[in-house]
């Protein structure tokens, strides 16, 4: 057990707690707590949107998927996830910022009514279970690796959850934004230095790229068959579109000081995420060159430990290990803090307020903090129960529910004036119903392997929105026309 390394990690965790306490002194109301009072400058919006996605799966999940299957295996993340932020900036940020909303659920209420608000908010909250659980799982793994197994992964999960929960409960989104800002600086500098050192350890970057070319890792497009292409598109759209109606993304847009900052921050954050995600991929490729077949075996059987194991190699200097675990904890804590806060604010604003409409702002603030603690407990229990499930799979499955249930009502509500509440109801029902039909336990293995359920659900949701919005009006017009003709005949 490396006492020096653990000491640096403990000091780092205490530092983030101190930031949370400081931010807590500036929290005056629910707007400060949920969206930092709409005051953040461009650089902080960029770092906090970048931090939205740069979590455990980016450092440990994506690189291992890459060395196993190449670029084709990671279309969902980082390509889909990064493109999501770009699309948010280009097509959603300005329109949503002008409406001065506290949560994404507020949009559904204003556009379609309370029923859709509650249902979509529940779908969004449910999607966070897998996403936050992935970060908690990674925290447990990190603490276990740091202590050479002296601390179990379950104990690590509990300690990691508490470390994140304390500063989020005290400081809200303002604490998240400031810690994101500092943590992303640590992450970018730390991983960049490690990448250079890893390349040197592998005998030069040219050898790493030669290995990638020989293994055909640069192949991006799927085999030209209907099923493969459909699965490829379904995977790409899951986070690309399913992450757009998400409270954590919405909070980052709404926290900007003005519309232009909201738009540019999301676009720059998305581009930066896609580009920088290649750094941990490069480091793992270096690990394959250095460790040989043992690295590929670990990538296949226990890929979440591949990168930490490579960094803990005796050939790695202590300073590199400190930089790596600082960067890894930055990535995990920045994502987990935001994704704990997001569903908690949605619950209070879009569900609890419907049950208790006369709450004061002070009561709402207390309710948000209380909900944070409860949700953190639920996520921790879920993460422990799902222990053994890959981090990448926990993340990728999280956004299918919002893709089929919340995306179409959002985009059509913003861009199609004829979208109605009936259309939204039919869209949500058809999207989720068809998606469930494609579960292997429901529709069978053959159906689930022939076509991606999330893509089928998205198509059904779109058809439901159009049909539900237009058919009632068409029937009404036809009924009025019949009465008109009957009136003329009389």
């Amino acid at each position: 057990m490396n006492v020096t390394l653990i000491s640096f990690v403990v000091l780092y965790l205490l530092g983030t707690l101190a930031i949370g306490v400081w931010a807590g002194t500036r929290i005056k109301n629910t707007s400060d707590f949920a969206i930092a009072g709409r005051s953040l400058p461009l650089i902080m919006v960029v770092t906090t949107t970048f931090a939205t996605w740069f979590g455990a799966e980016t450092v440990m999940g994506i690189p291992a998927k890459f060395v196993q299957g190449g670029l084709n295996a990671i279309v969902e993340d980082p390509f889909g996830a990064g493109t999501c932020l770009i699309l948010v900036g280009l097509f959603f940020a300005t329109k949503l910022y002008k409406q001065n909303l506290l949560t994404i659920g507020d949009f559904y209420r204003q556009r379609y009514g309370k029923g859709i608000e509650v249902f979509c908010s529940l779908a969004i909250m449910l999607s966070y279970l897998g996403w936050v659980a992935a970060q908690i799982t990674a925290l447990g793994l990190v603490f276990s690796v740091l202590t050479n197994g002296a601390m179990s992964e379950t104990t690590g999960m509990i300690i990691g959850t508490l470390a994140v929960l304390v500063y989020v409960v005290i400081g809200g989104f303002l604490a998240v934004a400031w810690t994101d800002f500092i943590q992303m600086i640590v992450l970018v500098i730390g991983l960049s230095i490690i990448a250079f050192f890893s390349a040197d350890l592998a005998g030069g970057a040219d050898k790493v790229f030669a290995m990638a070319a020989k293994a055909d890792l640069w192949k991006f497009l799927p085999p030209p068959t209907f099923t493969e292409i459909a699965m490829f598109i379904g995977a790409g759209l899951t986070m690309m579109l399913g992450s757009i109606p998400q409270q954590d993304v919405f909070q980052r847009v709404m926290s900007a000081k003005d519309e232009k900052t909201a738009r540019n921050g999301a676009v720059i954050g998305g581009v930066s995420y896609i580009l920088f995600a290649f750094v941990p991929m490069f480091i793992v490729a270096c690990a394959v060159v250095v460790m040989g077949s043992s690295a590929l075996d670990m990538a296949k059987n226990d890929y979440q430990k591949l990168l930490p194991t490579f960094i803990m190699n005796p050939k790695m200097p202590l300073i590199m290990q400190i930089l790596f675990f600082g960067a890894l904890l930055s990535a995990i804590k920045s994502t987990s803090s935001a994704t704990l806060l997001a569903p908690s604010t949605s619950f209070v604003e879009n569900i609890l307020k419907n049950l208790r409409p006369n709450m004061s702002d002070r009561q709402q603030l207390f309710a948000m903090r209380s909900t944070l603690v409860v949700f953190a407990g639920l996520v921790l229990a879920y993460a422990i129960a799902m222990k053994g499930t890959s981090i990448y799979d926990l993340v990728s499955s999280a956004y299918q529910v919002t893709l089929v249930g919340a995306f179409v009502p959002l985009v059509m509500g913003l861009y199609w004036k004829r979208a109605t509440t009936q259309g939204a109801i039919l869209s949500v029902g058809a999207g989720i119903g068809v998606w469930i039909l494609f579960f292997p336990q429901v529709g069978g293995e053959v159906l689930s392997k022939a076509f991606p359920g999330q893509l089928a659900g998205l198509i059904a949701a779109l058809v439901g929105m159009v049909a539900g919005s237009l058919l009632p009006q068409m029937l009404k017009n036809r009924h009025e026309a019949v009465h008109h003709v009957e009136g003329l005949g009389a």
Side-chain angles (χ1 to χ4, degrees), residues 312-381:
M312 294 299 284
N313 189 305
K315 295 180 181 178
M316 275 286 181
L318 177 61
I319 185 63
M320 294 299 156
Q321 296 173 350
I322 292 171
L323 284 172
F324 171 74
F325 283 103
L328 180 57
L329 284 172
S330 295
I332 297 170
K333 289 170 90 284
S334 63
T335 301
S336 54
S337 60
T339 46
L340 275 176
L341 180 63
S344 304
T345 53
S346 289
F347 174 78
V348 174
E349 176 69 12
N350 303 116
I351 296 176
L352 187 60
K353 280 180 69 174
N354 282 314
L355 300 174
R356 297 183 58 193
N358 297 320
M359 284 194 301
S360 66
D361 191 82
R362 186 175 180 180
Q363 289 174 324
Q364 290 178 50
L365 187 57
F366 176 77
M368 285 181 182
R369 284 175 163 147
S370 302
T371 306
L372 259 170
V373 176
V374 174
F375 188 75
L378 291 173
V379 168
L380 178 60

